[in-house]
Amino acid sequence: MSELPDKGRIEHIGYIQSVSYSAPNTPPRLTAVVVDQLAAATGRQRTVAHVKLLFMGQKQVPGIKPGVKIKYAGMVAPVDQVPSIFNPRYLIVPVSHGL
């Protein structure tokens, strides 16, 4: 995430840390916060670099939920000083479990 430009087209892979939804009586929007690595299940969480994916006009987006590995692309722009991408292209990346 540290290599993301302030503005411009990007393609990156990360993990969805959290998902939030718009309030009732507001236009639909789903926001997913993506980080390079998920925090460990135990221990204190610290501030990590992240990007917000904003799905405008969507109450839900297939496959977008916490813990999912995602490859995403779009135009990044700062929104409230946070790198954000509106309506990104995305692909859910299968996670291999070493069996």
Side-chain angles (χ1 to χ4, degrees):
M1 296 277 174
S2 61
E3 295 131 22
L4 291 179
D6 289 336
K7 294 182 180 180
R9 181 163 293 283
I10 66 159
E11 186 173 303
H12 196 73
I13 296 177
Y15 293 89
I16 299 174
Q17 181 181 49
S18 63
V19 175
S20 60
Y21 306 91
S22 57
N25 302 322
T26 62
R29 180 178 78 190
L30 182 139
T31 302
V33 174
V34 179
V35 295
D36 281 338
Q37 293 184 337
L38 293 173
T42 59
R44 293 182 59 166
Q45 294 208 0
R46 56 184 174 11
T47 303
V48 294
H50 65 276
V51 63
K52 286 186 179 180
L53 305 181
L54 302 153
F55 296 91
M56 308 305 289
Q58 303 295 316
K59 290 185 178 183
Q60 52 186 325
V61 178
I64 301 297
K65 59 186 177 184
V68 168
K69 188 174 185 180
I70 184 173
K71 180 178 182 178
Y72 58 93
M75 293 295 288
V76 67
V79 176
D80 297 327
Q81 299 179 342
V82 175
S84 302
I85 301 173
F86 289 87
N87 297 321
R89 296 180 73 97
Y90 73 96
L91 176 68
I92 303 299
V93 178
V95 177
S96 62
H97 301 283
L99 296 175

